[in-house]
């Protein structure tokens, strides 16, 4: 075992608590919108911004942007941020992660779960496409860190759940050891937000479809 020293390494980062939100159904319904998901992601990654700034980045008018921001604020995803400028209203994210537990039953809860996952998937596919377009221009070390693998493993539902929990735990451990989102550049010039997506599901078409309650 390596001997401990009295001073930590310069690049060591103490483990921290990662703030997260578990939305109630009405809040999840408000969040299940591609534009709002993008806005929330921008505020989490880049820090506070105004409606005008976000409108330019999203290619929207400031009125539409302000409406979506009010919706996010109403359900507790963002809040007003203190800023030196009194002319503009600045917003910041309240949490770093959104956790959406899978619905255990059919009905409205499952419909909301599906709507949120569809909005999240649309956003993720767009990010993956943009990352692919930028891949050739990346420095070699970042190309080596980039992966686009898919692996298929025979498993029971219990084994699959245990695996996804373990993988999520590893990713959250790395996040707890990293600086908060929005502060990476100030902490380390070589750090950038690194996007990790975890998609795990039974191979399509291999399980019987459960009938919906309203179709029985």
């Amino acid at each position: 075992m390596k001997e401990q020293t009295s001073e930590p390494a310069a690049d060591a980062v103490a483990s921290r608590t990662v703030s997260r939100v578990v939305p109630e159904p009405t809040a999840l319904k408000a969040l299940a919108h591609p534009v709002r998901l993008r806005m929330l992601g921008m505020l989490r990654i880049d820090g506070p911004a105004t409606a005008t700034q976000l409108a330019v980045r999203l290619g929207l008018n400031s009125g539409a942007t302000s409406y979506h921001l009010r919706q996010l604020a109403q359900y507790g995803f963002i809040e007003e941020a203190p800023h030196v400028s009194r002319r503009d209203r600045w917003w910041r994210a309240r949490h770093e992660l959104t956790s959406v537990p899978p619905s255990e039953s059919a009905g409205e809860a499952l419909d909301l779960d599906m709507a949120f996952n569809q909005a999240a998937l649309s956003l993720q596919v767009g990010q993956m496409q943009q990352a692919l377009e930028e891949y050739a221009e990346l420095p070699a070390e970042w190309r080596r860190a980039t992966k686009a693998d898919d692996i298929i493993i025979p498993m029971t539902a219990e084994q699959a759940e245990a695996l996804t929990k373990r993988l999520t735990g590893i990713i959250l451990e790395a996040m707890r050891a990293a600086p908060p989102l929005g502060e990476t550049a100030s902490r380390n010039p070589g750090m950038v937000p690194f996007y990790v997506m975890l998609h795990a599901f039974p191979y399509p078409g291999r399980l019987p479809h459960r009938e919906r309650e309203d179709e029985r």
Side-chain angles (χ1 to χ4, degrees):
M1 180 179 294
K2 186 175 180 180
E3 183 178 353
Q4 294 183 346
T5 60
S6 58
E7 295 183 2
D11 59 349
V13 180
S15 181
R16 62 184 180 83
T17 299
V18 175
S19 58
R20 68 169 72 194
V21 58
V22 181
E24 295 295 328
T26 51
L28 185 61
K29 184 176 182 180
L31 185 60
H33 190 292
V35 171
R36 290 174 200 158
L37 283 176
R38 287 188 66 190
M39 283 183 180
L40 182 57
M42 289 175 176
L43 293 174
R44 285 176 173 174
I45 294 169
D46 300 318
T50 66
T52 301
Q53 292 170 337
L54 291 172
V56 172
R57 295 173 63 185
L58 291 165
L60 300 174
N61 62 65
S62 57
T65 305
S66 295
Y67 170 76
H68 289 305
L69 286 169
R70 288 195 300 271
Q71 290 293 303
L72 289 172
Q74 178 180 344
Y75 293 101
F77 296 106
I78 65 173
E79 62 187 2
E80 286 194 60
H83 203 270
V84 293
S85 171
R86 296 185 178 182
R87 290 185 55 190
D88 299 311
R89 196 176 189 182
W90 288 75
W91 298 94
R92 66 184 176 189
R94 295 186 60 189
H95 318 88
E96 290 184 79
L97 286 177
T98 302
S99 295
V100 181
S103 175
E104 297 290 339
S105 60
E108 184 179 3
L110 180 58
D111 291 339
L112 288 173
D113 194 0
M114 291 284 292
F116 174 79
N117 284 326
Q118 183 61 61
L121 180 62
S122 297
L123 175 62
Q124 292 164 1
V125 169
Q127 296 283 12
M128 290 172 67
Q129 183 62 48
Q130 185 175 347
L132 179 60
E133 293 169 359
E134 297 177 0
Y135 178 78
E137 306 302 323
L138 290 178
E141 62 268 24
W142 282 110
R143 289 201 302 273
R144 289 194 296 269
T146 301
K147 303 290 286 183
D149 296 337
D150 62 323
I151 301 170
I152 302 172
I153 312 169
M155 285 187 161
T156 64
E158 292 76 15
Q159 291 171 331
E161 182 180 2
L163 177 62
T164 55
K165 285 183 176 179
R166 183 179 176 188
L167 294 173
T168 300
I170 292 172
I171 296 168
L172 289 177
E173 182 181 352
M175 192 172 188
R176 287 191 292 268
L181 284 169
E183 298 181 13
T184 52
S186 60
R187 295 291 187 93
N188 186 332
M191 253 183 203
V192 298
F194 189 64
Y195 205 152
V196 180
M197 299 182 194
L198 177 58
H199 292 274
F201 46 84
Y203 195 87
R206 299 304 173 97
L207 286 174
H209 289 200
R210 183 176 63 182
E211 294 181 358
R212 296 289 298 273
E213 293 293 334
D214 55 359
E215 294 175 348
R216 292 180 178 177

